[in-house]
Amino acid sequence: PRRKIEFDAALVPPPAVAFAPPPRPLPLRPAQAPRVARACLTLQQPYASLLMRGEKTLETRGSDFLKAHEGTELLIHIGHRKTGKWAEEGLKLAGGSAAALAEMSRLPPGMHKGMIVGVVRVGRTIRAAELADVAGWEAVEAAACVPRALIEKAYVTEVKSPRWLRRGVAATPTDGGVWTATDLRPGDV
């Protein structure tokens, strides 16, 4: 008679299954919206609001770095810093009563400092004095909302077609001047 050999169950592979069980469905995750990066410029209040409302049509800077962005769109970000004492003088140059100036510098609901709030198209950049030779200092001051004493040696850049975003987007500048806002959704801008 033959001897029966018993194997330990741990050493014996399981018998082959004719049909494998169906795979478990993977949990569904919402699709991640693609992210975009856009060039952004930080302005302080009240200048950001004045620019977005079309009251300020010249942006003033100490250098001509905005010349490289001529013809492009830039996002407008509102910085956290306090504006210097010249802001009140700049608001007066924008014209109107104190109530009208307060209205012009107010942000739409839900938008505040530290947010990207709008988009503008960048025009030509030239020295403020060159523009004043053609248009006069009074016109340059009014368009820049900055007194002459502060911009005589500065550059001015025309800003066109301002439009508010539907909602503000919180962002932190990565650099001075024009910086890149990353991690934006296409629907944000």
Side-chain angles (χ1 to χ4, degrees), residues 35-188:
R35 302 295 181 168
V36 295
R38 296 275 303 268
C40 193
L41 179 67
T42 299
L43 279 81
Q44 305 307 321
Q45 273 293 76
Y47 298 113
S49 291
L50 291 170
L51 185 132
M52 291 308 303
R53 294 183 189 283
E55 300 294 329
K56 177 178 171 64
T57 58
L58 291 176
E59 173 56 16
T60 58
R61 297 290 166 144
S63 71
D64 66 348
F65 70 89
L66 287 173
K67 190 178 273 191
H69 299 278
E70 186 175 325
T72 66
E73 286 187 336
L74 288 179
L75 299 177
I76 299 300
H77 173 264
I78 301 176
H80 286 285
R81 282 190 305 159
K82 285 191 168 192
T83 306
K85 59 185 175 185
W86 63 87
E88 188 175 317
E89 183 66 28
L91 285 173
K92 288 178 189 171
L93 290 168
S97 66
L101 295 173
E103 177 62 29
M104 282 190 283
S105 61
R106 187 173 32 200
L107 292 167
M111 294 188 181
H112 51 79
K113 289 180 178 184
M115 288 186 147
I116 297 170
V117 298
V119 181
V120 297
R121 181 158 297 282
V122 178
R124 226 170 42 129
T125 298
I126 62 171
R127 286 202 170 271
E130 291 177 42
L131 183 58
D133 288 345
V134 176
W137 276 110
E138 191 173 298
V140 174
E141 285 178 313
C145 300
V146 178
R148 175 182 177 174
L150 294 173
I151 59 172
E152 282 183 310
K153 296 179 182 175
Y155 288 85
V156 292
T157 301
E158 182 182 23
V159 286
K160 309 173 192 179
S161 310
R163 75 175 192 276
W164 294 100
L165 299 181
R166 287 186 294 265
R167 63 179 184 81
V169 179
T172 303
T174 56
D175 200 0
V178 175
W179 52 280
T180 302
T182 57
D183 213 30
L184 298 170
R185 294 182 181 100
D188 289 339

Side-chain angles (χ1 to χ4, degrees), residues 23-31:
R24 288 186 173 171
L26 295 174
L28 295 178
R29 290 187 206 149

